[in-house]
Every structure is written in C-alpha cells, then in structure tokens.
Amino acid sequence: MALVMVAATVYGVVQLLVLASPTRSVRVSTVLLAIAVGVYGCGVVTALLELAYTRSVADLTGEPLAKVVEVAGYTVDPVIEELIKLAPLLLVAWNVRIRRQWGMTDYVVLGAALGAGFGLLEAVARFGLDADRAIAHPAGGWAIPDSLRAPYIPGPEQILSAWFPAPSGTLELGDLSPAAETSPHLVYTALTALGVGVLLRGRGWVRALSSLPVAAAVSHHMLTNYAAARPADRDARAWADVFDGVLWTVPLLCLAIAVAVDLRHIRCGKRLVPGILLRGERTGRSGLAALAAYGGWRVPWTMLIALRFARMRRSLALRRGSSCVPRCRGPASQRRLGCGADRRLRQRTRLAAPGLPRRTRNGGRRAGPAP
C-alpha cells in the first residue's frame, strides 16, 4: 500500500513535469530529489517544530494537550508547514547563479515536488501500517474501516485518471465509484512557490504581489483543517467542499502564468544572445522543429543531447532575459532617461558575442571577428 502512495505522489509531479516541458530548465533528477527533500527534510522538521510548539503551549497555559493540538491544527500549523516547505527553495535561491538561471516554471515544479513529498510523509505516517486492516474496494483501491468517512487509498485506476492525485483520501459511505483526491500539499506549495518566483524574478511593484499566493495557500489550508476539526460547522465544510472541487486547477493556473512569463524572458534572452540559436533557427525554422530534426537523427543519443542542450539554453536565456526592460515609448527625453540601462545592456551583449556587427564611430557598421 505504501508503494501505491509513492506511485500517486510521483505521478502527480510527473504530470507537472510534462506540462512544463516548454520552459523547464531543471532536470528530472532534481525534481525527484525535491520529493525526497519534502519527505525527509520538510516533513521531519515540521513534525519536530509542531511537537515542540504544542508541548510548550500546553505546559505554559495548562490547557489539555489534545485541545492545544486541535487549535494549532487550523491556526499555527498551516503557517509553519507552508514556510518550512518553502525553506529549501529559498536556501537554494540564495545562490545568485542558480537564482538567475531558474525561471518561474522551475520554482512552481520544484515547489510542487516539495509539497507532494510532504503529503506523502503525512499519508504514510497515518496509514502506512494499516495494510492488514485495509479492505479492497470493488472499484479499486483500499478502504480502512475507521468511521463513516473511512480513509481511502486509491488504486492504479484512480491514480491514472486524476490530476495530481493524493496518496490518500476519504471514502463517503455508499460511494460505489471512488476517485483519487487532489494532493492539497502539492497545490499549496506550487502556489506559494509561484510567489517565490515572483519575488525573486519580478521587478519593482510586481514583487509586492508575491505575498498573495502565499496568503491564499495558507488561508485555504487553515479553512480545510478547521472544517476537519469542527465537522458541526456546516458553513466551513461547505466552503471547503467548494474550493476542493476546483483545487486541481490551481497548479495548472500557476504553471500557465509561469510559462507565459518564462517564454517572454526566453525570447528576450535569445534576442540578446543570438549565438545560442541553431542554424535552422537562423534560416527561419522554429526552435522546436530544429531541435526535433537533430533529435531524430540518431535516436536515442541525439535526442538526449537535444534535450540537454534545450535545458542549458533555456537557463542561459532566462539568465539574460531577466535583465530585459520594456521598450521605451514616448518623447525623446523620456527615451534617453529611461532606456539607458537597456542600451548599455545591448552594448555589453555585442561585446560578449563576437559574431555580432559593431558600430563604428561615425554610426556605420563593421563586421566583428569571425566566430
């Protein structure tokens, strides 16, 4: 049963990996490592912090430990969990070189992997030792008969037919066709990782928007935990059910925003560093067609080379493209004042690319040294 939980976790992350292929620059091995960090790093640290917090509050206030744990579940614990899951991204982004080479797509995918690993640890810790009590469901999967809303472990059929499946869920009484639920921790961390990407790659007032995804993820996490802890509150349960129904669309929306921003930066980076274009691209072919032509030359070796080249080129384009500024429009005085940085950047790029023509003193052009 634990192997099925692992399969559900990896499958949800692979879905994002495939969808992020046009702009992703991180390797598959790095994303799989992020899942392991979410399990053995974020999950363990969060458990220790929550354990220390609840015991300390119970000792200081004299409240029963069960009451403190219940209240902390929808007040303090969601904040601790979301911040700890973001900690590996922030630590790695402390390196300036990595921070400039990663796009917003990379942050979303890695954040989803960290959250999926965290959710896997929770599921295994709760139900990993209940395999002997599990009952096979006729439609697939296993149910653990604990209550009227029994814990449910989805089977391969449910996993493969769901978006971002969770390792475990709940089975309503009389449900004859159960489905895999969306992994909430994958969704939460993908959303907060989008905020990290906006903070690290945005400019000016755009960075202030980075707090909105984090606040949305923490708020929904609190609402879900509150509805689970207070089943008598029907309003909270109704709101939680409404949001749970569209939870699978959140990673897709985050990925769409990240891909749109990264495509703009990649196009700008290619324009600033034309030396990274393939010969076919310089003759008018698209980058996908040129890479596909080379990748199909000697399968599978040329395909692996083409994929590696595409990822490395994206990293370079994202690094250069993040320095782009919007084209200046307006009066000549505004263009002179506002576009000085853009003009200096283009001049530095011409010096760095030996194949580009350079301007002479009288405004003409002379060919640069042969590449």
Side-chain angles (χ1 to χ4, degrees):
M1 201 162 61
L3 293 178
V4 178
M5 295 180 185
V6 175
T9 300
V10 175
Y11 180 68
V13 177
V14 168
Q15 287 178 323
L16 270 183
L17 274 175
V18 174
L19 295 175
S21 297
T23 55
R24 174 177 57 86
S25 64
V26 292
R27 296 178 294 181
V28 175
S29 59
T30 305
V31 178
L32 296 179
L33 178 62
I35 297 177
V37 172
V39 175
Y40 298 105
C42 301
V44 174
V45 172
T46 301
L48 294 176
L49 288 177
E50 292 177 353
L51 186 67
Y53 169 78
T54 53
R55 268 58 180 179
S56 300
V57 172
D59 292 340
L60 292 175
T61 61
E63 292 284 339
L65 181 60
K67 181 65 175 179
V68 174
V69 172
E70 178 186 350
V71 175
Y74 55 83
T75 54
V76 179
D77 290 352
V79 179
I80 294 177
E81 292 177 5
E82 299 309 323
L83 292 180
I84 294 299
K85 286 186 292 183
L86 284 183
L89 278 181
L90 297 175
L91 289 176
V92 175
W94 189 266
N95 188 315
V96 178
R97 179 178 299 179
I98 295 177
R99 183 169 69 244
R100 291 179 178 176
Q101 292 178 354
W102 279 2
M104 292 182 64
T105 304
D106 300 321
Y107 286 105
V108 171
V109 172
L110 290 174
L114 290 169
F118 187 93
L120 174 62
L121 178 65
E122 277 194 350
V124 172
R126 289 179 179 177
F127 313 116
L129 299 179
D130 293 335
D132 55 340
R133 300 192 302 115
I135 301 175
H137 195 279
W142 299 267
I144 302 174
D146 281 346
S147 61
L148 296 180
R149 299 187 67 189
Y152 175 72
I153 309 301
E157 300 88 352
Q158 289 76 28
I159 292 174
L160 296 177
S161 60
W163 281 105
F164 319 117
S168 63
T170 56
L171 182 65
E172 299 291 342
L173 182 64
D175 191 356
L176 300 179
S177 58
E181 298 180 0
T182 303
S183 175
H185 287 288
L186 184 151
V187 175
Y188 297 152
T189 319
L191 189 58
T192 54
L194 177 66
V196 173
V198 173
L199 176 65
L200 297 179
R201 294 193 64 86
R203 290 192 168 194
W205 63 269
V206 177
R207 290 185 172 181
L209 301 178
S210 62
S211 60
L212 297 180
V214 179
V218 173
S219 299
H220 186 271
H221 197 168
M222 289 180 173
L223 175 63
T224 303
N225 290 2
Y226 179 81
R230 302 291 179 86
D233 193 338
R234 296 183 178 181
D235 292 337
R237 184 71 262 172
W239 279 105
D241 291 340
V242 169
F243 288 120
D244 289 344
V246 296
L247 203 60
W248 63 274
T249 63
V250 175
L252 298 178
L253 179 61
C254 295
L255 192 61
I257 296 173
V259 168
V261 174
D262 287 344
L263 282 176
R264 177 176 177 272
H265 288 169
I266 289 173
R267 286 196 297 266
C268 185
K270 289 181 179 180
R271 189 168 62 248
L272 292 176
V273 190
I276 63 178
L277 298 178
L278 297 174
R279 184 179 301 175
E281 292 176 289
R282 297 178 184 179
T283 58
R285 299 177 65 184
S286 64
L288 180 60
L291 285 173
Y294 179 80
W297 182 38
R298 290 290 188 272
V299 180
W301 312 116
T302 52
M303 182 180 298
L304 297 176
I305 295 173
L307 292 176
R308 181 175 176 82
F309 170 77
R311 287 191 292 101
M312 295 178 66
R313 184 170 71 167
R314 286 184 203 134
S315 297
L316 177 59
L318 287 169
R319 182 175 182 178
R320 290 299 183 92
S322 62
S323 302
C324 291
V325 295
R327 294 183 178 180
C328 291
R329 298 176 182 178
S333 59
Q334 294 181 7
R335 291 198 297 269
R336 284 194 300 269
L337 294 175
C339 289
D342 192 16
R343 184 169 57 252
R344 289 192 296 271
L345 178 62
R346 291 197 299 269
Q347 291 174 355
R348 290 197 300 268
T349 306
R350 291 193 184 97
L351 294 176
L356 288 177
R358 303 178 182 177
R359 289 188 178 275
T360 58
R361 185 180 299 275
N362 57 4
R365 290 178 179 267
R366 61 182 178 87

